[in-house]
Amino acid sequence: MADEVLSRIDGAVQTITLNRPDSLNALNEALMIDLRAAVESARDNAQVRALVITGAGRGFCAGADLSSFDPNVPHNDPAPLLRQRYHPVIEAIRAMAKPVITAVNGVAAGAGMSLALAGDVVLAGQSASFLQAFAKIGLIPDAGSTYFLPRYAGEVRARALALLADRVSATDAERFGLVWKVLPDDQLANEAAKLAAHMSAQPTRAYALIKQALNASLDNSLSQQLELEATLQSQASKTQDFREGVSAFLAKRTPKFSGN
Ligand code: LHQ
């Protein structure tokens, strides 16, 4: 079978590259199976402390591979596919106890946009674009887009993005709060690698707890969130990295975090 997904580890960083460039990395079932395996291997490998997801060629990901859907079949139900193949990937990225950077190197459309937005830090090349392609083909946003869009961009933009399905530039996506930084195309891969290397040397357990707190935040009341912060802070304060962070601060030196 072709390598639908490439994966490599440099130091403490795993980079996963969607690898169907001829179709702008459209998501067929084989790719989704490989992507899940790669994401889960990053999750389970203690050596890996940061993950980058990007695309090969000129696209990041064009969403579900439409050539796998036969328009002549009266009802080709995507729900089982979503539940079995897409949800585990999105949920693994969000729940992963290490940071995930999505490096959006080109168009991110449909579920490809959902995948891009699942990252903890979303970087985009200048020529990248974002498209809620779903309504254009009579579908609704899936793979997390209706969760991420209102939370990141706000209701007004979420509705216009989903309903109008206009292709938006990386710069507009940054302005809408969907992207952390836009970078020159020829610097995206390097900058993503540099950022991942930096993040892989930070207090990984605190990062995991930060993700846990932020993942819960918008569904909690202030009181619930304060309580969650106290509980998670208690866990953070028991790590070696907390001791190292304070020692380094008091000694006026750069901390050396082990991730423990
Ligand atoms: C593609 C695709 C593609 C196959 C470009 N499939 N070949 C739904 C159902 C079930 C379960 C899971 O979830 C979902 C959610 C979804 O993701 S639904 C949304 C699916 N995606 C789309 O509707 C996007 C379709 N693609 C496009 O609108 C355009 O290709 C975009 C705007 C992404 C890029 O436009 P261009 O830069 O002009 O590139 P292109 O259209 O020329 O595409 C290049 C090639 O990639 C081309 O093949 P070819 O052999 O002619 O060179 C396209 O057919 C192929 N391709 N997207 N989703």
Side-chain angles (χ1 to χ4, degrees), residues 201 244-245 248-249 253-257:
E244 167 61 10
F249 176 79
R253 62 172 173 79
T254 307
K256 200 167 166 8
F257 293 119

Side-chain angles (χ1 to χ4, degrees), residues 20-24 26-27 58 61-67 69 78-79 81-82 86 107-112 131 133-134 136-137 139-140 142-143 167:
R20 301 185 70 223
D22 291 348
S23 62
L24 307 176
L27 304 167
R58 73 174 178 91
C61 175
D65 187 332
L66 296 178
S67 67
F69 292 90
L81 183 64
L82 283 166
Y86 286 66
V107 64
L131 171 61
F134 311 91
K136 282 195 188 297
I137 54 167
L139 289 180
I140 74 147
D142 62 18
R167 193 167 172 171

Side-chain angles (χ1 to χ4, degrees), residues 9 29 37 48 58 64 68 141 144 159 161 163 188 194 207 222 225 229 233 239 245 251 256:
I9 297 178
E29 197 164 16
V48 172
R58 73 174 178 91
S68 14
R159 281 165 200 264
L161 287 164
L163 295 169
L188 176 69
K194 256 174 39 193
Y207 270 3
L222 174 61
Q225 195 64 16
E229 286 175 0
Q233 196 69 292
T239 62
K256 200 167 166 8

Side-chain angles (χ1 to χ4, degrees), residues 36 83 89 92 104 124 131 151 187 213 228 246:
R36 180 178 181 179
R83 294 191 182 106
V89 170
V104 184
L131 171 61
R151 285 171 166 77
Q187 288 174 29
L228 179 63
V246 175

